[in-house]
Amino acid sequence: INAGKIHVTGNRLDQKVYYRHSEYPGGLTETVLRDQLQRHPTRPLESAVKGMLPKNKLGRVMLKKMKIYAGADHPHQAQSPAVLKL
């Protein structure tokens, strides 16, 4: 949670570049970390974790299980076990 509050040091906000390609000739798009955090605050954290996971089926399954939220609000709750009377 709170992925929108990522803080980086130095000139990383302006020097870290993310690349996308549209599969068309000349379709390379560059996005700087500052713009990426404003538009999609969870994507830099997702790409960082994706780079650390194994590049196989297990890594892809692990990435699907990860949930990242920009703010403190999320739909998950802690478990609340009930007492079982025997």
Side-chain angles (χ1 to χ4, degrees):
I1 60 173
N2 294 328
K5 295 182 180 180
I6 293 176
H7 178 72
V8 294
T9 58
N11 296 327
R12 181 63 55 105
L13 284 174
D14 298 319
Q15 291 179 349
K16 175 76 175 165
V17 180
Y18 294 95
Y19 298 99
R20 291 182 295 125
H21 202 283
S22 66
E23 301 298 327
Y24 286 98
L28 185 66
T29 305
E30 299 177 351
T31 307
V32 182
L33 178 60
R34 183 182 307 273
D35 297 334
Q36 189 82 312
L37 284 173
Q38 289 175 353
R39 292 186 188 134
H40 308 284
T42 60
R43 284 191 188 168
L45 196 57
E46 286 175 3
S47 66
V49 172
K50 183 180 179 182
M52 293 184 244
L53 291 176
K55 285 26 172 206
N56 55 21
K57 293 177 186 178
L58 177 63
R60 289 186 286 275
V61 170
M62 292 168 74
L63 193 62
K64 285 181 184 178
K65 291 181 182 180
M66 182 178 66
K67 294 172 177 33
I68 300 176
Y69 298 100
D73 299 329
H74 57 84
H76 308 290
Q77 295 178 357
Q79 294 178 354
S80 56
V83 177
L84 181 62
K85 296 180 182 180
L86 296 176

